[in-house]
Amino acid sequence: MNMKASVFLVCVAALNVAAGTASPTTIKGKIMNMEEVKKYLAEDTYLQLVHPGKGGGLAVKSDGRGRLTYESNLAQVKMPKSGEFSISASGLEPGTYLIAGQKVEPFPGQILTLLFRKGERKALEIKVPEDTKGPSLDVGEVYFRVPGSKHF
């Protein structure tokens, strides 16, 4: 598994035989710099899977408070206070996905509210191959890029 820039899901066929439907994909991990991130979180901040467009771009908008939200109708979970998260998503199409912090309070130099691996310049990518049905994936230790972070 290439843990540097991308996380590849292994081909696991976990079909729900009784219902004839695929099991959801569960993505787990831990945000290691929650102490640095806490001051930028609001009560309604959440994590969400986002799918870049064909050109790799992300549609983003801002609310009245200047908080970024990437356009996505994929699975989401409340921002975990402990940093440990688990996102379950059904019906993921093959392709590349990212995990975004949605409605993070604005901070100086804010460009992205995506999860990264320590020291990496590119956001954590989760690649779902065509024949994946319902695997569980642990992306391990991840980070948000925030001002003064010692992890980048």
Side-chain angles (χ1 to χ4, degrees), residues 35-99:
E35 284 302 315
E36 296 173 332
V37 173
K38 281 182 182 177
K39 61 184 165 187
Y40 304 110
L41 303 180
E43 189 63 36
D44 59 348
T45 302
Y46 58 98
L47 292 175
Q48 186 171 27
L49 283 176
V50 295
H51 190 292
K54 291 186 183 194
L58 294 169
V60 64
K61 59 186 174 183
S62 172
D63 68 9
R65 293 171 39 189
R67 301 179 306 168
L68 298 180
T69 304
Y70 297 93
E71 290 185 22
S72 177
N73 60 358
L74 299 172
Q76 61 184 336
V77 295
K78 185 166 178 55
M79 183 66 73
K81 291 183 176 159
S82 69
E84 292 184 39
F85 64 89
S86 178
I87 303 173
S88 291
S90 295
L92 290 180
E93 296 292 325
T96 300
Y97 295 84
L98 308 170
I99 301 174

